[in-house]
Each structure stands twice: as structure tokens, then as C-alpha cells.
Amino acid sequence: MHEGLNLVGGEWRPAADGRTFRRHDPAELGEIVGEFPESSAADVGAAVDAAVEGAAQWAAASPEKRADVLEAAARWLEERADPLVVELVREEGKTRAEAAMEVSRTPRNLRFYAGEAHRITGQSHPAGDGGIVYTRREPVGVVGAITPWNFPLNIPSRKIGPALAAGNAVVFKPSPVTPLLAQRLVEALLAGGLPPGAISLVHGGAEAGAALAADERVGAVTFTGSTRAGRAVHAAVGPSRRAQLEMGGKNPVVVLDDADLERATQIIVKGAFGLSGQACTGTSRVIAHDAVHDELLERVARAAEALTVGNGLGDGVDLGPLAADFQLEKFLDYVRIGEEEGAELVTGGRRLPGDGYFVRPAVFGAVAPDMRIAREEIFGPVLAFQRASGFDEAVALANGTDYGLSAGIVTRDTGRALEFARRSVSGLVKVNQPTSGMAMTVPFGGLKESSTQTFKEQAGPSMMLFYTQEKSVYISPR
Ligand code: NAD
């Protein structure tokens, strides 16, 4: 069993009051992955003290030095890819293939942001008196990073990478579901030469996250997680500091009457049941044209039944366990809600016997737009089929939730696809691709209740703006 600690000002230490929590393997509930500090506001306060002190040193580091650290951290992770994949499977419940994808992606993110360290520039403007006005982009100071469990390396790397590239100190509060992988990312940065004052790690749950968001010395809070927690973070940050929020989704795939149904089935099954349905951009609704609805539902249900569920370390496993007890409860609750609301459970929806949070993916037919399973984020392998009589109705149904993260369409008609892209109220639109999955070189973020929409992650122009603040300097010749 791993004995985890917080990192504060370069010192690994337990919570001040000694509280801890344990994380177990969701595929083998008797296997304890590790024990970690359950941090309180006092621990967060100490971490912010250390970050305030460490921020000046890191802000003074050259862009080359910042980039070198991120590059070296990337190499450290790559050299340990195999054990990291196993740890990720055991801690979160991914399959080996899903874990390998994440472990390979994270160093690439760090390299991408290492490049950004060199690209922080300002503007210059001529002034009437022969002088000049120029702008400086300076680090914000202390960045708080609060992250979910479903990509415990990848999502933090998309926050800590650019924050450090810009010269900020970071206080990192990872999910209590995946504390070990969070610690590995911090170890990589330290091994890469990051001064310990530039990164603090505070384990724990909502209590620690709320304390971090509320600390006025934290100039910018970057959060990914549920819309409910995101709203609390946003309220705590207030108008004088900045928040970047990426939150929940209820992502639809529209399938038109001209679609290749075999291809549509592959796209839907991958989007809905990849990561055991626990991707923010995962598909949770299919809106099928009347002409193809019944055949598509049948094909998707058969494909779902053919998926192999098991321990992600096993060969040929398509779906690992759900990540935690609360995920299992939510899955079973929503299956029950769907049945009570009158939707037709076509397949799955039950827990599998055995020592782990294993379930058969659920496919519902006859789902009406006002049912909770059509509107609320479930974040598990539950797919709701809705029927549309034409394109306009399909677009309206697709847009008919409070969320706006990712939306897909399967069609051979490019004109319709482009029209869907224009009319879709979502931050990502996928044509003939699963709703999940995105490139690190492309802006990422949702609309409506899925995001604050102010600063996108990944490669949009606002990505580094979030981690820097702009100052205008006026100079006259005398
Ligand atoms: P969560 O909201 O429960 O927790 C996310 C993080 O916030 C955790 O570190 C948690 O400890 C912390 N937290 C919880 N309550 C808090 C509070 N009041 N104040 C401050 N911090 C608080 O989410 P989760 O279960 O870890 O992750 C699943 C959710 O994340 C889903 O809703 C999913 O859609 C979303 N998600 C979104 C994206 C995206 O990019 N849009 C990506 C991955 C996951």
C-alpha cells in the first residue's frame, strides 16, 4: 500500500490534524491502492503560503528554464510508462489500452506547453511624443488547480503545464479518487528540476477544494469537474479573481437517415462506453432519424452486449469497472429512474457479480425529452435513444439540455453536417466521429452549463491568457 503525503514548500507531510483517506482498486475492492492525507483548510492555507513564497523565484526563471523543466518531466513520465499504466488501471479502473493512451498523452501535453513558455509575448504601440507603450504578460502568481478523477494525469497536465510555463506557482488539489497518479505527476515535475516552492500538492476532497478556491491569494482557479462543484468554485472565486471551469455534459449523437449504420454503431459504442461511460465528452444520447431508429437501436444494443467487462489489466477487456461506489450508485439510480419514467431498458443496466464495481452497459429506448435520463448528466455507461422525424427536430433535441460540451452527427451529407455544426450549441462538434476524444492542439471547452466559456483549455488564444495578466507600460523619451 502506498503511503501518500501532501507536498508543501518542498516538504512531504501528512495533514496537520492527521486525518487520512484510503483509495482501493475498483476492480478488486479488497486491494488498497494507498492512504493519503485528508487535508483541511489549514493544510491548504500552508500550501498557499508556500506557493506565495515560491512564486517569485519561478516567475524569475527564464522561458528556457521553464520549458526545460516541462520537457524533463515529460521524459520522466515516458521512462516510467509501463508501471504508470498499471497504477492507473489499478487506481481508476481504466482498461490497459485506455490507460496507455492517457500515459502517452500526458508527456505530449507537457511538451506542448513547454513550447508555450517561449511564446509569451506582448505588444508595442508608438506614442505621439516619440515614446512607446508596450504590454507585458506576467504570471498571475498562485494558480489553484482542482481536478477530477477520470483523467488523473492528462487533465492536471493541461492545467499545471501552462500555469508553470507562464511562471506561476501551482497549488494542486487532485481528486481523492486518483491521488496516487496526481502524486506521480508532481514527482515528474520535481524530477524535471521544478523548484519545490513552485508546486504544492494537497490531497483531499471538497473541503480542501473549497478552501483553495476561497483563498484570496490564489489569483486564478482552474477547475474541471461536475457542474455542481464548478458553480460553488465560481461563486467562491468572485469577480476580482479569475476562474476557468470545465464541467459536465449530456452529449448527443444525431444519426441521419443516410448514415452507414455499421459505422454509426461503432461511433456510438466507442463514445458511449469508452472509459466505462465516464468521459465528460462521452455520448449519453442518440437521436436517430425515424427511418433508421429501430435498426440502429438493435445494432447498438447487440454491440453493447458483445463488450467484455472486467478488470482492466485483463486481456480483451473493453470496459473496466466504474471508478467508485458513488459511480456505481449513480448508475443503478439512473437505470431505476429511467425504468420508472417509462423508458424501455433494452439491454444491460445491472451490476455484475464479483468483487468490483462492474456493470453491463445500459441502453434505453423510447426516451422522451423531458425524462431525467435525457436531461441529466449520468457520467456512466447509460445510453438514451431518442427518435426524430427530421433534421430540424433532431437539432432541437440535440440542443435541448442545459449542457453544451460535445455533439456529434453521423451522415454522408456534408451540407447537413455543416448545418449541424453551425446550429449545435456545444463547444465541440464531431462529424462521423465519437463525441469523445480531442486534439491537444485545438481549443477545448463547452458552452451553456458545461463551462464558464471565458478561457478555453488546450490551444486556443485564451489558453495562456488565463495564466498571465497583462500590464501596459508607457515610456516617454524624457
Ligand atoms: P467533482 O465535481 O465531484 O470533483 C471535481 C474536483 O472538485 C475534485 O477534486 C473534488 O474534490 C473537487 N470539489 C468537489 N466539490 C468541491 C467544492 N465545493 N469546491 C471545490 N472543489 C470541490 O467531479 P468528479 O466526480 O471528480 O468528476 C466527474 C465530473 O467531471 C463529471 O461531471 C464530468 O463531466 C466532469 N468532467 C468534465 C470535463 C471537462 O473537460 N468538461 C472533463 C472531465 C470530467
Side-chain angles (χ1 to χ4, degrees), residues 46-87:
V48 178
D49 290 345
V52 168
E53 216 168 282
Q57 185 196 355
W58 185 239
S62 67
E64 290 80 4
K65 170 71 181 166
R66 295 178 203 161
D68 285 351
V69 166
L70 293 173
E71 296 267 1
R75 281 196 299 280
W76 190 95
L77 291 168
E78 280 164 349
E79 283 160 15
R80 287 156 184 79
D82 290 346
L84 284 171
V85 166
V86 174
E87 285 183 343

Side-chain angles (χ1 to χ4, degrees), residues 237-261:
V237 167
S240 63
R241 299 183 289 135
R242 57 181 71 177
Q244 175 191 52
L245 309 180
E246 292 304 341
M247 304 179 284
K250 189 71 190 169
N251 313 301
V253 170
V254 168
V255 181
L256 295 186
D257 50 356
D258 67 348
D260 171 343
L261 294 190

Side-chain angles (χ1 to χ4, degrees), residues 406-419:
S406 183
I409 187 165
V410 185
T411 179
R412 294 182 168 107
D413 182 335
T414 311
R416 280 283 161 89
L418 292 176
E419 191 179 345

Side-chain angles (χ1 to χ4, degrees), residues 22 39 46 91 166 214 218 292 331 350 368 396 458:
R22 285 185 163 189
S39 305
E91 185 170 61
V218 177
V292 295
F331 171 85
R350 305 287 178 247
Q458 318 243 47

Side-chain angles (χ1 to χ4, degrees), residues 218-229:
V218 177
V221 179
T222 173
F223 167 91
T224 299
S226 62
T227 296
R228 186 184 46 76

